[in-house]
Amino acid sequence: MHGAPLVGWLLVALCAATGAYCLLQMRGEPPGPGRRIAGAEALMGWGMAAMAVPSTVLDPRPWGPAAFAAVFAVAAVRALLPMVRGAGLPGHRLHHAIGALAMVYMALAMMTGTTGGHHHTGQTAPGRMAGGVPLLTGMLLVYFAVYVVRSGLRLVPMTDGALDDAGGRAADDARAGGRAGAGSSGIGWSRRPELWHACRLSMGIGMCAMLLAL
């Protein structure tokens, strides 16, 4: 990724932490659409973390962008197929498909950006043309900016009384399922709705930052 290395490392930390939480959530979900959605979000988080590594540390070209494009093209197809069959959650599936296609787009932009004979560095070198199509980049930025705002608004009701009610229900569930042992509390923590929305908010912010760095 181009830009200041500090920004790149912050994105790596944010996206890796998000991917790790999604893995925890996937473990806590029963087999079905919820587990597949958590797995897709974990893949997105870790893929974004890998792509955000500053190019001063790791220049993924020539094989890296092609690998990113192939992996996320398959992820986009897997997200869209259930919609074609009329199965799954259309809203989540469509968002995952758009996110995966955005990753394909950024990977292709990494391949097609020209350097004008200069060495590839952490910041855009003199004579380097930014990759990507400005109009498409702008449309993706608008989409993910709206998604970030919506995700943030969903977190607002999950405060004060709403969280108290959720905590009370969680305590009741924990007492009722006390025979299950310590593992149940770990699963309950990984499925907290406010953390799920915060996870999606973080990935949306990370996607906006990566699109701006094209």
Side-chain angles (χ1 to χ4, degrees):
M1 194 188 82
H2 301 289
L6 177 60
V7 175
W9 286 120
L10 289 173
L11 276 174
V12 170
L14 175 69
C15 296
T18 301
Y21 172 75
C22 290
L23 285 177
L24 287 175
Q25 185 188 23
M26 184 175 69
R27 189 194 70 169
E29 288 287 337
R35 177 173 288 186
R36 289 192 291 270
I37 288 172
E41 291 177 345
L43 173 65
M44 182 68 67
W46 285 106
M48 290 170 65
M51 190 178 286
V53 173
S55 55
T56 51
V57 176
L58 177 65
D59 187 348
R61 296 179 302 172
W63 54 268
F68 281 125
V71 168
F72 284 100
V74 172
V77 172
R78 284 178 59 86
L80 290 173
L81 279 179
M83 292 180 59
V84 175
R85 298 170 185 159
L89 303 173
H92 289 303
R93 293 286 184 181
L94 182 59
H95 173 71
H96 290 158
I98 292 173
L101 291 174
M103 294 290 284
V104 172
Y105 168 67
M106 289 189 287
L108 294 176
M110 290 167 64
M111 287 194 293
T112 59
T114 59
T115 59
H118 294 272
H119 183 67
H120 182 64
T121 61
Q123 296 183 351
T124 303
R128 181 177 178 85
M129 295 176 62
V133 180
L135 179 60
L136 183 54
T137 302
M139 291 173 63
L140 288 170
L141 273 170
V142 170
Y143 172 80
F144 284 105
V146 172
Y147 181 78
V148 165
V149 173
R150 287 188 61 194
S151 298
L153 290 176
R154 287 175 180 173
L155 282 172
V156 173
M158 297 182 181
T159 57
D160 300 331
L163 280 181
D164 291 340
D165 292 342
R169 288 194 299 270
D172 293 339
D173 292 342
R175 285 192 293 269
R179 294 185 301 273
S184 297
S185 60
I187 293 176
W189 176 85
S190 68
R191 298 177 69 184
R192 289 178 67 92
E194 66 273 17
L195 292 179
W196 197 348
H197 287 302
C199 169
R200 292 172 175 172
L201 175 66
S202 299
M203 280 200 289
I205 292 172
M207 189 68 75
C208 286
M210 292 176 69
L211 287 166
L212 287 171
L214 278 182

